[in-house]
Amino acid sequence: MVVIGITGPTGAGKTTALNALTALGGRIIDADAVYHQLTASSPDLRRELEARFGSVYDGGDLDRKKLGQIVFQDPQALEDLNAITHKYVAQETQRQIDQARREGAPAVGIDAIALLESPLAAYCDRTLAITAPEELRVKRIMAREGISEEYARLRVAAQKPSAWFQEHCDDTLESTEADTVETFGQKARALFAKLIKEA
């Protein structure tokens, strides 16, 4: 089984690529979804978050706004938050990888925006950057989320550029203006099939 770390800036076509991997029998682990699930279900994570940040839970739910107000003004607090949450997300990701292996899945795709900066990178046999030209990403984000061009550009500017992802990943899959969802899906499927075969 091959474990592929999939990352890249928003609006580049990651969803289409992930669907292509699923079509080949691959399992997807969405690191963001794992994090959200753990904040609701892990008493150990809750204990650590409250010990460091105080009462950031509202009943059974993490008050993301309250936590955000603490960490986004304090680089050390953000670093501490990442250290705490990455540990739990990594443990759960490892459990899901082991389960996929036992069940005979040909591949696991770990979908994580901050993959390369997190402990999850160590679990990957290959890392893949999904990229697209900036103008195309702006258009896609506007269409997908119904936001203004100005806000879409701010979102794009807040992330690392495509070149950074390309430089730090083993493979790159670029979505272009000429691609349709179908043609990009075919390119992704061909690349994943090759990686599975080589594993």
Side-chain angles (χ1 to χ4, degrees):
M1 186 180 84
V2 62
V3 179
I4 307 163
I6 300 164
T7 191
T10 185
K14 243 184 342 179
T15 303
T16 302
L18 293 167
N19 290 341
L21 183 56
T22 305
L24 292 168
R27 304 284 172 83
I28 305 301
I29 300 172
D30 177 340
D32 205 36
V34 168
Y35 165 70
H36 288 301
Q37 176 226 317
L38 288 172
T39 59
S41 66
S42 167
D44 292 340
L45 174 57
R46 178 175 180 155
R47 251 193 310 277
E48 281 203 52
L49 289 175
E50 289 187 323
R52 172 60 182 86
F53 301 108
S55 56
V56 287
Y57 274 79
D58 180 12
D61 299 320
L62 179 64
D63 186 338
R64 291 177 208 295
K65 208 169 185 178
K66 192 172 186 181
L67 183 61
Q69 284 168 346
I70 298 167
V71 301
F72 293 130
Q73 296 167 17
D74 179 351
Q76 184 57 56
L78 183 59
E79 202 176 300
D80 293 346
L81 174 65
N82 287 337
I84 293 166
T85 57
H86 283 168
K87 177 176 63 178
Y88 287 93
V89 170
Q91 287 167 359
E92 175 58 19
T93 300
Q94 185 63 65
R95 189 193 69 74
Q96 291 188 28
I97 290 170
D98 294 343
Q99 185 180 343
R101 189 171 275 119
R102 283 195 303 274
E103 291 170 359
V108 166
I110 300 176
D111 171 17
I113 187 81
L115 174 83
L116 301 167
E117 305 93 312
S118 81
L120 299 180
Y123 297 166
C124 303
D125 301 308
R126 304 287 297 178
T127 52
L128 170 64
I130 308 282
T131 66
E134 192 172 301
E135 290 304 311
L136 180 57
R137 288 170 48 217
V138 167
K139 273 193 247 176
R140 283 181 179 163
I141 297 165
M142 286 167 64
R144 183 180 71 200
E145 298 179 25
I147 58 176
S148 69
E149 182 178 342
E150 185 186 9
Y151 189 52
R153 288 191 184 283
L154 285 172
R155 289 270 302 274
V156 166
Q159 293 189 331
K160 291 182 171 72
S162 291
W164 185 88
F165 290 99
Q166 289 171 327
E167 200 180 306
H168 291 86
C169 287
D170 300 313
D171 303 284
T172 297
L173 198 55
E174 185 177 24
S175 171
T176 67
E177 289 276 6
D179 277 311
T180 61
V181 171
E182 290 73 24
T183 61
F184 184 62
Q186 285 162 2
K187 282 202 290 197
R189 195 175 172 135
L191 176 61
F192 289 132
K194 177 175 166 281
L195 295 178
I196 288 168
K197 195 176 172 190
E198 288 171 355

